[in-house]
Amino acid sequence: MFFGRWMEKNEKGAIAVAAIHALTTMIKNSGASTIMELEILLKAAQEQLQEMKFEGQRSKVIQLTAACELFARHVTRTALDIGDFEACKQRLIERGMRFAEQADVSRAVIAENARPFIRDGMAILVHGYSNVVCGCLQHAAKSGVRFKVIVTQGQPECDGFKTASTLQEAGIPVDMILDTAVGYVIQEVDMVLTGAAGVCESGGIINKIGTFQVAAIAKEAKKPFCVASESYKFCRLYPLSPTDLPDAEKEPTPRVEQGIKIRQPPSDFTPPSHITLLLTDIGVLTPSAVSDELIKLYY
């Protein structure tokens, strides 16, 4: 499958970008002769993509779904604008490639947009691992900014070690702390910077478990809590609590060890009231601006 081959060649590539490449390739190679046939094929391909498992990684369903829904919206709009099927198909391929190219450079754009917020002498708290966050910090360090990072271990995956290793290779000083030590170090911190699995309509985020408690501690300590995220992770979801998350992000059945139930929810929801700014490829946004940007993206 094209999706799998693209991911093998681009280990750090975004899942959503691979999905758009795969859907665009499917349109190129399809034998469909009507828009209806093409939409049926696309829907089947989207369902197949959303069922994929990623070994050793957290669920990617939210960003996959958001990218697929946005692509489907492109198909509908193009079909309405262009009556001729072959012309419509060619336009879809062109738009798909352009969208994939824009998405592919989004992390570099975010790093540039985040640069003014990372200043000399700062201590920045990072929770777990995020390609986007690491990219922002590496770009700032290359620009000559001198700062240090405090990273949580990121249980249960312990992906904080990956963050620490990546940043140390870039010459950035890193301290690692237990997830439970955020309150202890928060007064040393100038800013919290985290990624997102999905940015919801409300401006809140779905992300790795523990993000909400980091945000709550930061708010209590009056420290800015910023989120670095690509716009293709903006999703038409409106959770009010962790129990409103998509099935792939909900708490699995607890495992039992020595008669004790051990709960390991993978994700939580951080409400917009706890978020200072969203650093994205379409600009620096307040949480309240996300719904307006979703309207622009889809309509």
Side-chain angles (χ1 to χ4, degrees):
M1 186 179 178
F2 180 86
F3 179 87
R5 291 197 302 273
W6 192 92
M7 288 305 300
E8 284 176 12
K9 290 179 184 177
N10 302 270
E11 289 183 8
K12 289 193 174 181
I15 300 293
V17 176
I20 298 304
H21 276 297
L23 294 174
T24 303
T25 302
M26 194 220 71
I27 291 175
K28 276 185 188 176
N29 300 332
S30 82
S33 57
T34 67
I35 284 294
M36 181 66 74
E37 287 178 36
L38 197 58
E39 286 180 339
I40 291 170
L41 287 172
L42 278 171
K43 185 173 175 57
Q46 289 168 17
E47 289 173 354
Q48 188 178 354
L49 285 171
Q50 289 163 13
E51 288 172 2
M52 291 197 70
K53 306 292 182 187
F54 300 91
E55 182 127 6
Q57 298 183 48
R58 295 178 55 251
S59 170
K60 305 290 184 181
V61 167
I62 293 177
Q63 64 169 292
L64 263 176
T65 301
C68 288
E69 284 183 354
L70 194 55
F71 191 81
R73 181 59 183 155
H74 277 308
V75 172
T76 304
R77 289 167 70 174
T78 304
L80 291 171
D81 293 342
I82 304 173
D84 180 71
F85 176 74
E86 287 303 321
C88 177
K89 183 176 176 180
Q90 188 56 41
R91 180 70 64 83
L92 283 172
I93 293 168
E94 290 169 3
R95 282 189 175 182
M97 295 306 294
R98 190 162 61 247
F99 177 64
E101 287 168 7
Q102 289 172 346
D104 210 20
V105 300
S106 60
R107 290 174 181 170
V109 176
I110 294 167
E112 190 59 39
N113 288 341
R115 168 63 189 82
F117 298 92
I118 302 171
R119 298 181 297 277
D120 279 321
M122 289 184 79
I124 300 169
L125 177 65
V126 174
H127 179 55
Y129 180 82
S130 162
N131 280 317
V132 187
V133 169
C134 285
C136 290
L137 297 172
Q138 287 168 320
H139 177 69
K142 284 178 184 175
S143 301
V145 185
R146 295 293 171 256
F147 57 92
K148 82 167 188 176
V149 173
I150 301 172
V151 60
T152 62
Q153 282 188 349
Q155 294 282 356
E157 298 95 345
C158 291
D159 48 2
F161 287 94
K162 183 178 179 181
T163 301
S165 174
T166 301
L167 297 181
Q168 281 187 325
E169 286 175 8
I172 300 169
V174 179
D175 292 343
M176 179 169 285
I177 60 169
L178 296 170
D179 293 358
T180 49
V182 172
Y184 181 82
V185 302
I186 196 65
Q187 294 305 328
E188 303 173 27
V189 171
D190 296 294
M191 176 176 74
V192 179
L193 184 61
T194 185
V199 179
C200 304
E201 285 188 55
S202 64
I205 64 166
I206 298 170
N207 198 42
K208 176 183 178 66
I209 191 68
T211 303
F212 176 44
Q213 67 186 31
V214 173
I217 292 170
K219 184 177 181 180
E220 177 65 25
K222 295 181 172 53
K223 304 290 183 177
F225 182 93
C226 297
V227 178
S229 174
E230 306 93 325
S231 59
Y232 57 71
K233 289 183 181 176
F234 287 19
C235 52
R236 293 187 294 179
L237 296 172
Y238 208 105
L240 300 175
S241 72
T243 57
D244 291 335
L245 301 185
D247 290 342
E249 300 291 334
K250 286 184 177 177
E251 181 178 0
T253 303
R255 74 177 196 270
V256 179
E257 289 186 9
Q258 299 179 1
I260 300 169
K261 286 184 179 179
I262 300 175
R263 298 174 61 179
Q264 286 190 315
S267 306
D268 58 24
F269 172 66
T270 301
S273 57
H274 288 61
I275 297 170
T276 309
L277 290 172
L278 293 148
L279 312 176
T280 80
D281 51 301
I282 53 177
V284 178
L285 309 175
T286 60
S288 60
V290 172
S291 59
D292 290 338
E293 295 301 327
L294 272 169
I295 290 171
K296 291 177 189 175
L297 286 170
Y298 282 91
Y299 303 102

